[in-house]
Amino acid sequence: MSPVIEVHARARLITDGPLTRPVPVDLRYDPADERRTVHIGLPDGTDWAFGRDLLERGLRTPIERGDVRVWPCGRTQLIVELHSTDGVEVFQFEIRTLIRFLARTRAQTPATPPDAGRESPPRAPSRTTRPERGAQTERGAQTERGAQPARG
């Protein structure tokens, strides 16, 4: 079994105001997950999960699935827009960070047997709150508030 791939990255939170602010995010992928799900963990303890293919396609062309929209912004940036009942969060990522992360996920994903038939349908995006996983990190004060166990 391959280890879970986790990358601590920085994104820029895009706001209505003239300034953006950098925020730490966790990119996570479990090669054992047959659905090929990527997780983006935000500093407030929110975890967004969606199919890896959404990020891969979003590097080349705008794509939307459920509450997640992804599109390239110039040659070096990628925008990820996350919709929830709390509102909309828009993040700007360096494309090279995501390309390296996605390359690592592809390298660790087990090959699909030729007789496996069709690919499973794309995973619908989901939003959960991570358990107190990040509460003991440097960002602990941010992740502790409102943290509840994620539901399976």
Side-chain angles (χ1 to χ4, degrees):
M1 181 202 281
S2 300
V4 172
I5 297 166
E6 187 164 19
V7 174
H8 304 289
R10 283 196 128 11
R12 295 201 69 76
L13 177 62
I14 309 299
T15 64
D16 291 343
L19 301 176
T20 63
R21 65 181 171 98
V23 293
V25 296
D26 294 321
L27 304 172
R28 201 169 67 261
Y29 179 80
D30 183 353
D33 182 358
E34 293 176 7
R35 297 174 297 175
R36 295 192 166 102
T37 302
V38 169
H39 294 262
I40 296 180
L42 303 177
D44 66 357
T46 303
D47 184 77
W48 282 87
F50 47 87
R52 178 179 68 186
D53 66 308
L54 188 65
L55 275 184
E56 290 173 331
R57 291 179 187 181
L59 291 169
R60 296 181 306 276
T61 186
I63 185 167
E64 176 180 351
R65 188 171 302 139
D67 294 330
V68 179
R69 295 182 182 123
V70 181
W71 67 91
C73 180
R75 298 175 75 185
T76 62
Q77 306 293 319
L78 181 81
I79 303 296
V80 177
E81 184 177 292
L82 307 169
H83 292 254
S84 72
T85 55
D86 297 331
V88 178
E89 292 179 296
V90 180
F91 295 92
Q92 182 178 20
F93 288 88
E94 291 287 329
I95 283 181
R96 69 176 177 253
T97 300
L98 294 174
I99 288 174
R100 283 193 301 261
F101 172 71
L102 290 169
R104 287 181 62 195
T105 69
R106 283 189 299 274
Q108 292 294 322
T109 301
T112 306
D115 60 342
R118 296 186 304 142
E119 244 183 67
S120 60
R123 175 181 168 95
S126 65
R127 177 181 182 249
T128 58
T129 304
R130 288 177 284 163
E132 297 178 31
R133 177 174 167 251
Q136 305 307 319
T137 66
E138 303 163 30
R139 300 184 305 248
Q142 294 175 343
T143 57
E144 274 184 9
R145 78 173 194 271
Q148 300 170 358
R151 297 175 197 238

